[in-house]
Amino acid sequence: MATVEDYIKRVNAVDPQTLSAVDCAAQVAKANAMNAADLFYAASVCHAVKRDTEGNFLLSAGQVRGSADMALMAPASKDDLEAASALYGYIYFYAGGPGNVDVLRSGLSREAFFRLFDAWAPTYSAAYLPGWKVGERPDEAEYGKAINEIRAGRRAQLTEMSQLYSDAEY
């Protein structure tokens, strides 16, 4: 069972001295199949190698994926509820922001970020695991609809933030 501390340890274990932009690209290539915890780890890999546009994308994808999973995938047991709650706690306290705000300030970085975010097509099947055992799973259509709605809401938030961060007077 994962705890908030487990998420923190995993992200903090990323060593920029052992990674390169190739490692970040590999994480981005796998983003469609990753659950939220893996997306947050992937974001830390990209941020560690100063690929902040990709890191912000993976962070935002993790926020969307985690929100959909917590909303639609009821934990099967009390232990699983604790694992789902740990994901919520991690997002709330550590991974709820926009990432590196310079990405939202720079026109080119911002456009690249939104291209990645808009093109992200998370996969979902009976084999998908959110990080806990699930009692009842939504069907693909319901899950896809939730992902799209949550992503649209997050995109609107990030668009507004980018306008503020791009304002020299802000």
Side-chain angles (χ1 to χ4, degrees):
M1 169 184 62
T3 65
V4 173
E5 292 77 17
D6 293 332
Y7 290 122
I8 295 167
K9 285 178 188 172
R10 184 176 183 210
V11 167
N12 287 341
V14 171
D15 181 0
Q17 302 301 318
T18 64
L19 299 170
S20 70
V22 172
D23 297 300
C24 172
Q27 297 297 316
V28 170
K30 298 184 293 187
N32 290 345
M34 290 179 175
N35 67 19
D38 291 337
L39 286 161
F40 293 134
Y41 172 80
S44 67
V45 168
C46 290
H47 284 298
V49 296
K50 306 296 185 219
R51 302 293 300 185
D52 293 324
T53 300
E54 293 86 346
N56 281 19
F57 153 63
L58 292 162
L59 175 71
S60 295
Q63 293 163 347
V64 171
R65 180 74 105 160
S67 295
D69 292 352
M70 289 182 290
L72 296 176
M73 296 194 185
S77 70
K78 184 178 178 187
D79 285 343
D80 296 309
L81 177 59
E82 290 178 17
S85 296
L87 177 63
Y88 174 82
Y90 182 75
I91 293 171
Y92 185 82
F93 289 107
Y94 300 97
N100 184 321
V101 297
D102 288 336
V103 170
L104 298 177
R105 279 192 183 108
S106 165
L108 293 175
S109 295
R110 181 176 54 247
E111 290 171 17
F113 163 77
F114 281 121
R115 272 195 306 275
L116 286 168
F117 190 62
D118 293 342
W120 177 57
T123 57
Y124 176 74
S125 69
Y128 173 73
L129 297 173
W132 57 87
K133 292 178 187 164
V134 178
E136 188 174 327
R137 302 178 74 85
D139 64 28
E140 282 187 58
E142 182 182 8
Y143 190 79
K145 180 180 176 193
I147 287 283
N148 290 334
E149 289 173 358
I150 295 165
R151 179 185 6 214
R154 186 62 179 148
R155 192 185 200 292
Q157 292 171 334
L158 292 165
T159 298
E160 184 176 347
M161 283 184 228
S162 70
Q163 290 167 346
L164 293 171
Y165 287 128
S166 299
D167 183 346
E169 293 181 28
Y170 177 71

